[in-house]
Structure formats: structure tokens, C-alpha cells
Amino acid sequence: MKIVVLLSVTTIFVVSCLATLAYASDPSPLQDFCVAVKDEDAAVFVNGKVCKNPDMVVAEDFFFPGLNKPGNTSNLVGSRVTPVNVNQIPGLNTLGISAVRIDYAPNGLNPPHTHPRATEILFVMEGTLYVGFVTSNPADLALKNKLFTKYLYPGDVFVFPEGLIHFQFNVGKTNAVAFAGLSSQNPGVITIANAVFGLDPPINPAVLTKAFQVEKNVIDYLQAQFWTNID
């Protein structure tokens, strides 16, 4: 009897794990659309967005104007991301897709960052970009993370796998423009430097000096900088 129960529990656990893996990204819609209600108007909070009454849905719920307009790159890193996700187009709710426009000044950088919920496919419209992504920690502790890089020109496409740290750098002498599609209605962004050094409250310097193997004055300097997001 104990063996049967143990097998049943094990089976339930395995099935649950497989089910979790099967739905690890955005869930598929169960109707034609599920236009999102603004968070401040929602009576409850769910994983995603509450659906708007279908009878109240209009064409504007699926529309976003102005992606032809360049973003303001007058910031410390010289780039600007214009997002088009479920917060801009409520009709993207449950559809598992979003987009961005990225503008780069000469020497502009979209700093190392990650999208925890999406794979990104980048298309270069103008300029020359040096792009790359870093693999996750290898199972063999003797090995190092691997960097994949490429120089991209107008018409080129590059893919950044879900959750991996990646970047784009304008190596040209003119402005650059790229568009990207992402496999989530709300991909999320974690900019590495901002997340480590620009927090409020800050991470205890003792943690960072140990992690980066540097003196405390280096950490103090980095934490004192003005860290800004570009999207």
C-alpha cells in the first residue's frame, strides 16, 4: 500500500513539473481576444491582466501610433527603447507577443540586460550594431560563460534567447535604429548595472565587494553614480 501511495505521489509530482514546463511562458488565449483592463481599474489582480468586457472592445485597443518617431537618446548611455507591450496595446493581453523600437546615438549602448519572460528577435533598420549575448553558468565549474557576438548591418536579424544577458552597441558614426519582437506580452527588463548598483535601498557593500572581488571604495563609487533606465 505504501509503495502504491509513493508511486502516486511521485506521478503527481512529475506530471505537475511537466505541466509547469508546458506553461512556462505566456498562456494561450481561450477566446479571440482578452483586452486588458488598466491595473488601476481592475477590481482584482491576476497573473497578467483582467479582461475587458468584449462588448466594450474597440479598434483602438489593438492600436499604437508613432513607432516611426525616433526616441530621445539624450541620456548617459545614448539610446532609447520605445516599448509596445500590453501596457501600450491592451489587446496584446494573452497573445504572447510585443515589440520595441530602439534608437541609438553614435556610440550609443543598450546596456547589458535580460528579459526574464521573453526571447527577442532584433531587426536592424539603420546603422551598424555590435550585439551579443552571454550563456548561463555552465555545469562544468572549470568552464566559463560563453559570449556570442555579431556585427549587424541594415537588414540583418539576430536572436537573443529568453532570459540571457544581452546588449547592443552602435559602432557607427551615425544614428542607428532597430526594431525587435519579443515572445511575451510583458517581457520585463532587468538592466544589470542598474539592478546591482542603482537600487534603493542599496545592496550592502560587503555583499558586492565579495561578489566582485574589489575594494569597498570601488563599490561606493559605483553606487554613487546616477543609474537610469532607457525604456
Side-chain angles (χ1 to χ4, degrees):
M1 182 64 179
K2 289 183 179 179
I3 295 176
V4 173
V5 172
L6 180 59
L7 287 174
S8 299
V9 172
T10 303
T11 302
I12 292 172
F13 174 75
V14 171
V15 171
S16 298
C17 289
L18 291 175
T20 300
L21 290 173
Y23 294 97
S25 57
D26 291 7
S28 299
L30 299 178
Q31 58 278 319
D32 286 347
F33 49 76
C34 173
V35 173
V37 173
K38 293 181 179 178
D39 288 341
E40 58 267 27
D41 296 332
V44 296
F45 292 92
V46 298
N47 183 25
K49 302 281 186 178
V50 176
C51 297
K52 186 177 183 179
N53 184 337
D55 294 334
M56 304 297 292
V57 171
V58 294
E60 282 69 22
D61 291 323
F62 303 91
F63 173 74
F64 177 84
L67 209 58
N68 60 315
K69 298 177 182 178
N72 183 2
T73 59
S74 298
N75 54 55
L76 293 175
V77 293
S79 69
R80 177 68 63 186
V81 176
T82 303
V84 185
N85 56 48
V86 70
N87 295 309
Q88 287 76 41
I89 301 182
L92 286 175
N93 193 37
T94 76
L95 299 186
I97 192 170
S98 60
V100 296
R101 171 184 172 134
I102 314 172
D103 290 276
Y104 315 82
N107 294 314
L109 171 70
N110 188 3
H113 63 282
T114 177
H115 301 293
R117 295 180 289 275
T119 291
E120 176 181 350
I121 183 167
L122 183 84
F123 167 72
V124 178
M125 180 71 72
E126 300 175 11
T128 303
L129 297 178
Y130 171 68
V131 307
F133 69 86
V134 180
T135 60
S136 56
N137 295 356
D140 185 345
L141 298 181
L143 300 177
K144 294 183 178 181
N145 303 64
K146 189 172 182 180
L147 173 66
F148 292 88
T149 63
K150 191 77 175 175
Y151 286 94
L152 302 183
Y153 304 92
D156 289 347
V157 174
F158 197 80
V159 174
F160 304 108
E162 180 174 341
L164 298 187
I165 296 172
H166 59 285
F167 61 87
Q168 303 108 34
F169 181 54
N170 181 7
V171 294
K173 296 182 179 180
T174 61
N175 293 337
V177 181
F179 292 87
L182 299 109
S183 61
S184 172
Q185 68 180 42
N186 185 24
V189 182
I190 303 172
T191 304
I192 307 306
N194 300 31
V196 175
F197 299 111
L199 297 179
D200 184 17
I203 298 174
N204 188 321
V207 174
L208 299 181
T209 55
K210 189 75 170 181
F212 288 94
Q213 296 293 290
V214 296
E215 298 297 326
K216 183 177 179 295
N217 65 308
V218 176
I219 299 301
D220 291 340
Y221 172 79
L222 290 170
Q223 290 184 325
Q225 301 309 300
F226 179 73
W227 299 100
T228 181
N229 290 315
I230 59 172
D231 56 356

